Amino acid sequence: MREIDAELWRLEARRTELLSRRGQLLSGLRASGSGCGGRADTAPRVPPTGPPAPSTAPPTARNVLLALGGALLAVAVTAFTLVSWGRLGIGGRSAVLGALTLPALGVPAPLLRRGLVATAEAVASLGLVLLLLDAYALHRVALPGVGGAGYAAAVAAVTAALWAGYGAALPRLRGPLPAALCLAQLPLPLWALSADGGPYALSWALLATAAGDAAVALWCSGRGRRAVSVTALAAGCALGAPGLLTSAVLALTAAGWADSAHAAALLAAAAAVLLYAARRLARTAARTDAVAPATVVPGAVAAAAV
């Protein structure tokens, strides 16, 4: 980038020199025309060329380099946390990570004010990695007796809430809200696993999370937040499909009336969510006079579930 800037400065200096020489030549032509019988200026009038238009192409190479740099930093801090380097124990590494987390979370705001959006995105992603590593270090140092799945569920819930608030505070960042939504997929399934609730509890957790994703996708689709809507839709399909299949298997293998009723309740809940989503999609398609093939799949799956 320094070489490119230097070359641009040289080109600008050469352009200024040529424009000055051109002005001198035009002045000489006008003077010679005035001295020959007072004839009008016959020199060709070439409109002055303005500065070159700025390039509107997206800085793809710069963004790729920033993303790679952020990924390498994330790998470095992960290795620093998990691998014992030198004489620093887990407590010392936790202190170092905690000291780095706050600056990493505060730097994106001034970067956004300077228009460095891609750099702010990379630094914010690094801040999220540092938050998760801080939680891991806290578990190792202060809460070693807490169950891993339950602690991970609580960390995922708290981090998702904090990151959603961070994205709302810095709306120009496009990454925090989808990342918070991805983290929000973990609390209920991890809680079901930590509580050892069996397949029924896990199915309820999966379907409840998928229902929340459907609500977020429908809410964001009408407000122009395409990235969040697409992320919610993908997450809902990723969790809703195994939840629905597990419910179907439980219904087919139920041993008594209680198990059959429980599995039927799971299928009915999934059908209600799918039918509501299909109805909302159909209304959206009717308002925009567009064909919505996506309504066919939820409607068919809901009918099969019923």
Side-chain angles (χ1 to χ4, degrees):
M1 290 182 69
R2 284 196 298 268
E3 292 176 359
I4 291 173
D5 289 338
E7 184 65 26
L8 288 174
W9 277 110
R10 285 193 293 270
L11 290 174
E12 186 64 25
R14 179 59 177 163
R15 177 178 177 274
T16 303
E17 179 184 353
L18 291 174
L19 285 175
S20 176
R21 178 61 177 160
R22 177 180 175 275
Q24 294 174 2
L25 291 174
L26 286 176
S27 298
L29 287 173
R30 293 190 185 98
S32 63
S34 300
C36 296
R39 292 177 299 174
D41 184 14
T42 58
R45 296 183 180 274
V46 182
T49 57
S55 174
T56 57
T60 306
R62 183 189 66 185
N63 293 344
V64 170
L65 290 175
L66 285 172
L68 290 176
L72 289 175
L73 284 174
V75 171
V77 297
T78 303
F80 174 78
T81 307
L82 300 179
V83 180
S84 179
W85 288 350
R87 297 182 178 179
L88 279 178
I90 186 64
R93 282 175 276 161
S94 303
V96 172
L97 287 175
L100 292 176
T101 302
L102 290 179
L105 295 178
V107 164
L111 289 176
L112 288 174
R113 286 195 295 268
R114 292 179 177 270
L116 303 174
V117 180
T119 308
E121 293 278 1
V123 177
S125 301
L126 179 62
L128 176 59
V129 174
L130 287 171
L131 274 179
L132 296 176
L133 291 176
D134 287 337
Y136 167 78
L138 179 64
H139 181 262
R140 288 287 305 274
V141 172
L143 303 170
V146 178
Y151 182 78
V155 167
V158 173
T159 308
L162 290 176
W163 211 239
Y166 188 78
L170 299 175
R172 294 181 62 187
L173 293 178
R174 293 176 294 180
L177 290 180
L181 189 60
C182 292
L183 288 172
Q185 310 305 306
L186 302 177
L188 287 180
L190 288 177
W191 173 80
L193 292 175
S194 66
D196 197 15
Y200 288 99
L202 182 60
S203 298
W204 277 115
L206 293 174
L207 292 177
T209 306
D213 293 331
V216 171
L218 292 173
W219 186 79
C220 292
S221 62
R223 286 164 174 79
R225 297 184 177 181
R226 181 175 178 81
V228 181
S229 179
V230 171
T231 304
L233 182 61
C237 292
L239 270 69
L244 187 60
L245 290 176
T246 304
S247 302
V249 171
L250 290 175
L252 293 175
T253 59
W257 286 103
D259 292 342
S260 299
H262 201 166
L266 285 170
L267 291 175
V273 173
L274 289 169
L275 285 174
Y276 178 75
R279 186 177 180 183
R280 285 286 303 272
L281 289 173
R283 287 181 178 177
T284 303
R287 284 197 303 266
T288 57
D289 294 330
V291 179
T295 60
V296 176
V297 176
V301 175
V306 172

